[in-house]
Amino acid sequence: QQEKMPSLRVSAGGTVHLLSLDSLSTVRDAKAQLQALTGATPAQQRLIFKGRERKDDELLADAGLTDGAKVMLLFTPGFQRPPPAASEAAASPTAAAPAAEAAGSARPPKRVVHDEEEAVKLYTQASDRGFANAQVALGNCYQVGIGCTKNEEGAVKLYRLAAEQGDAVAQ
């Protein structure tokens, strides 16, 4: 039986992405989620945990990646993150994007948030405005109870909203 890991925190260039995976997931599975968040293909990603690069076929549980584990994401030389799409919102509680300014900004500005409850508030604002990445991130928070009360039904609803917009992670 698969054991749920509530969260895996992946630091990449000052941004922290929160992934929700199970213990039978592989490093390759984590990289697939990160591709949607960073634009880097799995081949362009290097996941470092406890000073070692983790191999794609390694199980997260075998690598010692347990609840709340902190992982560093490095990109291969020459990788340049693509410019964000107008529909993109921040992808993690510690890099949450507030709602678009009343002035009509097409993309909400990013800001670093170190308070998980504040991140949930900002995700909610962006999610309410239809940002699929925010819906996925808020769904992750609801699914595992980060910065809010655990709400699996709410998580599923948010994942469905994002999937309807074509979000690969939510699908």
Side-chain angles (χ1 to χ4, degrees), residues 4 15 21 36 40 43 48 50 52 54 73 90 96 103 109 123 133 137 142 146 150 160:
K4 273 312 250 187
T15 300
L21 299 156
I48 311 297
K50 291 189 176 179
R52 287 186 35 221
R54 298 301 164 166
L73 171 61
Y123 279 141
N133 284 359
Y142 280 8
I146 295 175
K150 189 173 180 177
R160 285 187 179 141

Side-chain angles (χ1 to χ4, degrees), residues 93 96 111 113 115-123 147:
R111 73 175 189 182
V113 176
D115 177 341
E116 292 172 344
E117 290 177 8
E118 176 70 8
V120 167
K121 176 181 158 190
L122 295 171
Y123 279 141

